[in-house]
Amino acid sequence: MPVLLNDTLLRPHPLGEELRAGDLLALEPFANRLVVAPTTGLDDPRAWQTWLTRHAHRDLAGPLVTAPVLNHAPHALLTSDYLADTFLPPGHRNAPVTLTHALRDVLLSATLS
């Protein structure tokens, strides 16, 4: 499932060439929960791009990252409860994985591709 995160979700921590468990613990989120959020109303690729551009502004959600890169909105995505509550349509539910696991998968997939 695609992941949408903002950079203020994480503590800044330099990452070396090798990803270690300590790095993931240092990046631990600030009391955010990972949720599965619907993207109702953003099905059109143009609407999705407009949404990303608008919400990536520093005064709103801050810089956003999606993994994988999304040219259109999926039916649902993994994101923080803050982003879901603040910027996405209602109806999110708890995710089947933790934020730490999703972050690890995003970082590892980025280093493998």
Side-chain angles (χ1 to χ4, degrees), residues 52-99:
L52 282 176
T53 302
R54 182 172 150 241
H55 289 87
H57 191 275
R58 294 179 109 174
D59 297 336
L60 292 174
L64 297 172
V65 61
T66 62
V69 173
L70 298 171
N71 294 323
H72 59 22
H75 295 290
L77 48 78
L78 293 173
T79 192
S80 70
D81 57 342
Y82 167 75
L83 288 175
D85 288 339
T86 309
F87 302 110
L88 291 168
H92 65 75
R93 63 185 192 283
N94 287 334
V97 295
T98 65
L99 187 52

Side-chain angles (χ1 to χ4, degrees), residues 34-48:
L34 194 65
V35 298
V36 177
T39 58
T40 309
L42 299 172
D43 302 336
D44 173 45
R46 194 177 213 177
W48 176 244

Side-chain angles (χ1 to χ4, degrees), residues 6-22:
N6 63 345
D7 76 344
T8 57
L9 174 78
L10 306 170
R11 293 182 182 129
H13 179 75
L15 297 176
E17 291 191 25
E18 293 182 26
L19 183 62
R20 300 183 190 141

